[in-house]
Amino acid sequence: MRLPSLLRRTPFRLTLLFLALFVAAAGAILAYVYFASASEAQGRAKADVEIELGALTAIHRTRGIDALNQALVERSIRGGPYLYLLTDKAGKTITGNITESPIDIDLSLPAGASDWETFRLTDTDAQGKVQRRRSIGVITTLAGGEHLFVGQDIGDIEAYLARLTQALWGAMALVMLLGLAGGLYISRRVENAMAGLNRVVQSVQDGDLKVRAPVRHTGDELDELGQGLNTMLDRLEASMSSIRHAGDAIAHDLRSPLTRMRAKLEVALIDAEAGKIDGVDALGIALDEADHLLKTFNTVLAIARLQAGGAPDPKVMDAADLAADMAELYEPAAEDKDIDFSSEVENGLMIEGNQPFLAQALANLIDNAIKYTPAGGAVKLRARRRSSGEIEYSVTDTGPGVPEEDRERVVQRFVRLDNSRTEPGSGLGLSLVTAVAEAHGGRVVLDEGPGAYGDFGPGLRVALVLPPASTGMSG
């Protein structure tokens, strides 16, 4: 799996995509600022004109046309942004600071009616330059039939909006530059990260399982991808190492029984020909050895199935019932070896799992405890609910125990400590228990036993910890 062509296209596409999104978002914000400012300025100018018109019409209503005329003269002399024009019924100018109405006077407009318009007003500035300044105005018909025009020069507002537009265009240019720089920066980071992942993938394809993806500890998605890839490679490396170790261990652990089987068969053949022993007995011993080999391979197959597909056909069950059955089954075997066997089982320990596999796991724990505990020792089976709510099976013995530095290694396949080489077995017991625990979402915990006393060792406590059954599930 090579990604060079993808890596060449990705930075450019990411840059364009980031730039487009960045510019679109910034453009929408700037457009909103412009239209909101323009609307606010025009709305404020219209409100000012309405207030001025209201004040003038109030003067006319209360004091008459002469008072209105006087107010207009005073306002025109005083100056300001407002435009005034008062005309008679025929449209002839009475007073004002403009000579004619920018809005066509509708002589048929009834009293009290108003007509708003936006228009361009020709003006000459201090330098003699003619300008057409934007204005807004309203004309209304008074009670006496006269027409009153009030307007406002909004050229300053228009100039402000023009300056605002220039500033917004400058801001847009800056936004585009920042967007381009940001897009290039992000795409470069993505390219470097993807290139590192590509090198890791290529190295793994070439057979190097030691290589790992670089992790920048930024907490982003690329870091999560790198960490996930590293976790996968850790498991793959451990799996390949386990396979290599398993091959060596199988060759080592099966060599002796195969050699014994071959020797028994040779002896049976020679003695049967000489008539010295019954060949049936020798063949029976050879069959026992073959059964042991088949059991080893069946255990390996069971572990592989558990690790590949989890616990098959899980059902809700009471862990206490299984513990009671296993205690009843193994108590006679412990008595035959002069071992004190006891059990402590709580009730109502509901779990979800495959009962045959859980029974096999418990059988392996109890069998190991009885096997390695000397006569006169003790083995105890417990089933209880932990403070965390998890269900725990535990088997505690007074045997030689397992050194703390070997507890992680002893649960692996075909691992047998030196002090257990003289005992029959394949080194698969605890690895099967671990596979069963993991298939059920649990774990195996190895701790110190009850401690050394008398002629006994420190002992060992092995706990199979399982999650409780979900509420509302049925078997």
Side-chain angles (χ1 to χ4, degrees):
M1 181 175 59
R2 295 185 62 85
L3 307 175
S5 59
L6 176 62
L7 291 178
R8 285 194 295 269
R9 296 192 300 269
T10 298
F12 181 69
R13 290 179 176 177
L14 284 177
T15 301
L16 291 181
L17 177 61
F18 181 84
L19 180 60
L21 292 176
F22 196 66
V23 169
I29 294 174
L30 296 178
Y32 171 79
V33 171
Y34 174 81
F35 287 110
S37 300
S39 177
E40 172 68 17
Q42 292 186 12
R44 188 180 303 167
K46 185 175 181 180
D48 292 342
V49 171
E50 287 180 337
I51 293 173
E52 185 70 6
L53 177 64
L56 293 174
T57 55
I59 293 174
H60 177 268
R61 186 172 56 252
T62 58
R63 296 164 55 191
I65 189 66
D66 292 335
L68 175 61
N69 186 27
Q70 183 179 355
L72 291 176
V73 171
E74 292 175 353
R75 281 171 163 78
S76 298
I77 294 174
R78 185 173 60 205
Y82 294 106
L83 306 173
Y84 305 105
L85 181 64
L86 177 64
T87 62
D88 59 15
K89 296 178 181 181
K92 184 178 179 180
T93 301
I94 298 176
T95 188
N97 58 2
I98 58 176
T99 57
E100 61 180 15
S101 174
I103 303 176
D104 293 335
I105 300 176
D106 186 359
L107 299 179
S108 63
L109 196 67
S114 301
D115 186 15
W116 283 91
E117 281 193 23
T118 301
F119 53 89
R120 292 283 178 177
L121 184 67
T122 303
D123 187 22
T124 304
D125 60 14
Q127 289 77 26
K129 184 177 180 181
V130 178
Q131 295 180 332
R132 290 181 57 79
R133 297 168 64 84
R134 193 179 185 192
S135 304
I136 187 172
V138 60
I139 190 168
T140 186
T141 302
L142 301 176
E146 298 87 354
H147 301 281
L148 174 63
F149 170 83
V150 179
Q152 184 178 14
D153 181 0
I154 58 174
D156 291 339
I157 296 176
E158 190 174 47
Y160 162 75
L161 292 176
R163 292 192 301 272
L164 178 62
T165 301
Q166 293 177 352
L168 292 178
W169 278 113
M172 178 62 73
L174 180 61
V175 163
M176 292 183 66
L177 288 177
L178 292 176
L180 180 61
L184 289 174
Y185 174 73
I186 292 177
S187 64
R188 179 61 61 184
R189 285 173 60 88
V190 172
E191 179 185 12
N192 292 338
M194 293 299 294
L197 295 177
N198 185 59
R199 287 192 296 270
V200 171
V201 172
Q202 185 59 45
S203 298
V204 172
Q205 287 181 341
D206 294 338
D208 183 8
L209 296 181
K210 299 290 185 182
V211 67
R212 293 294 181 270
V215 178
R216 299 165 298 162
H217 302 289
T218 58
D220 58 10
E221 291 79 2
L222 291 174
D223 253 15
E224 292 179 2
L225 177 62
Q227 291 170 352
L229 180 60
N230 289 343
T231 301
M232 180 189 70
L233 291 175
D234 289 340
R235 293 183 178 179
L236 178 61
E237 183 181 13
S239 177
M240 296 300 295
S241 177
S242 176
I243 291 174
R244 288 192 295 267
H245 176 72
D248 296 339
I250 289 175
H252 182 275
D253 285 301
L254 297 187
R255 183 189 309 163
S256 296
L258 285 173
T259 301
R260 287 196 302 270
M261 180 188 296
R262 186 178 188 283
K264 294 294 184 181
L265 290 174
E266 286 183 350
V267 171
L269 180 61
I270 293 173
D271 290 345
E273 290 177 351
K276 296 180 180 180
I277 64 168
D278 188 357
V280 176
D281 294 336
L283 289 176
I285 296 174
L287 286 175
D288 290 339
E289 296 290 341
D291 289 340
H292 175 70
L293 291 175
L294 289 175
K295 182 179 179 181
T296 299
F297 282 114
N298 287 335
T299 303
V300 172
L301 181 61
I303 293 174
R305 287 176 176 173
L306 282 171
Q307 292 177 336
D313 192 23
K315 294 181 179 180
V316 175
M317 53 177 283
D318 192 345
D321 294 339
L322 178 59
D325 292 341
M326 299 305 294
E328 182 179 356
L329 177 64
Y330 276 90
E331 188 172 0
E335 291 179 355
D336 291 343
K337 196 176 175 182
D338 191 22
I339 293 175
D340 179 20
F341 186 90
S342 61
S343 62
E344 182 181 326
V345 180
E346 296 180 9
N347 294 322
L349 306 177
M350 305 308 295
I351 59 174
E352 182 187 7
N354 180 279
Q355 183 167 353
F357 275 111
L358 289 173
Q360 182 62 55
L362 272 183
N364 285 4
L365 294 180
I366 299 173
D367 185 68
N368 279 349
I370 294 175
K371 181 191 300 184
Y372 295 110
T373 300
V379 173
K380 185 171 185 177
L381 169 66
R382 293 185 67 191
R384 67 184 184 96
R385 185 183 302 275
R386 307 184 83 177
S387 59
S388 61
E390 297 171 303
I391 308 303
E392 176 188 278
Y393 290 113
S394 66
V395 178
T396 306
D397 62 58
T398 59
V402 175
E404 186 174 356
E405 62 271 15
D406 292 328
R407 288 175 189 167
E408 291 187 6
R409 191 171 61 90
V410 77
V411 297
Q412 300 174 6
R413 295 186 191 181
F414 299 105
V415 173
R416 303 185 67 192
L417 302 182
D418 294 337
N419 58 6
S420 65
R421 287 290 178 178
T422 58
E423 296 288 343
S426 60
L428 292 172
L430 286 179
S431 60
L432 177 62
V433 176
T434 301
V436 170
E438 292 176 351
H440 287 80
R443 63 189 185 280
V444 175
V445 181
L446 275 66
D447 293 314
E448 195 81 359
Y453 63 92
D455 297 329
F456 305 115
L460 180 67
R461 179 181 181 275
V462 184
L464 173 58
V465 183
L466 302 170
S470 301
T471 303
M473 298 189 66
S474 61

